Amino acid sequence: MRIDWLGNRGFRELRTSAGAHALVEAEAEKVLARAQSGAGRSQFGMKSTSGHTRAGAIVYTENPAAMVRNARDNTLVRALYGG
C-alpha cells in the first residue's frame, strides 16, 4: 500500500494550519534565543512563513558580526540542535 502524502488534502491542511504555524514559530523562537545567548554585537533574526504546502520559519544573521560568528562557530547549527 502506498500513501500519497502530497496529494492528501487533509495532510496539507494540517501542515498549513494555524496550530502547525504556531508550533514551527515557537521552535524557531527557541533556536533564536539559543543563538542570541552570549551574542555580543552579533544579531540574529527570525521570520516565519506560511507556504502553499507547509508552515515554515527561518533564523538568520542580521549583521556582519553575526555572519562572522556563525561562520567561525556554526552558531545557527548549534542553536538548531540545542547546543
Side-chain angles (χ1 to χ4, degrees):
M1 178 162 106
R2 184 183 158 133
I3 299 172
D4 182 14
W5 292 110
L6 297 178
N8 188 333
R9 182 177 173 174
F11 186 61
R12 190 176 324 126
E13 287 176 3
L14 176 67
R15 288 172 35 155
T16 58
S17 70
H21 188 71
L23 285 172
V24 169
E25 193 171 278
E27 287 300 315
E29 287 174 359
K30 290 178 190 175
V31 171
L32 176 62
R34 286 191 295 263
Q36 287 284 53
S37 66
R41 296 181 332 197
S42 304
Q43 301 250 337
F44 297 91
M46 190 266 305
K47 179 180 176 183
S48 60
T49 61
S50 183
H52 183 66
T53 59
R54 69 187 70 156
I58 183 171
V59 178
Y60 56 92
T61 58
E62 284 193 329
N63 62 11
M67 291 176 197
V68 169
R69 180 175 177 228
N70 185 50
R72 184 186 65 223
D73 301 332
N74 281 332
T75 306
L76 292 176
V77 172
R78 290 173 185 250
L80 178 64
Y81 292 110

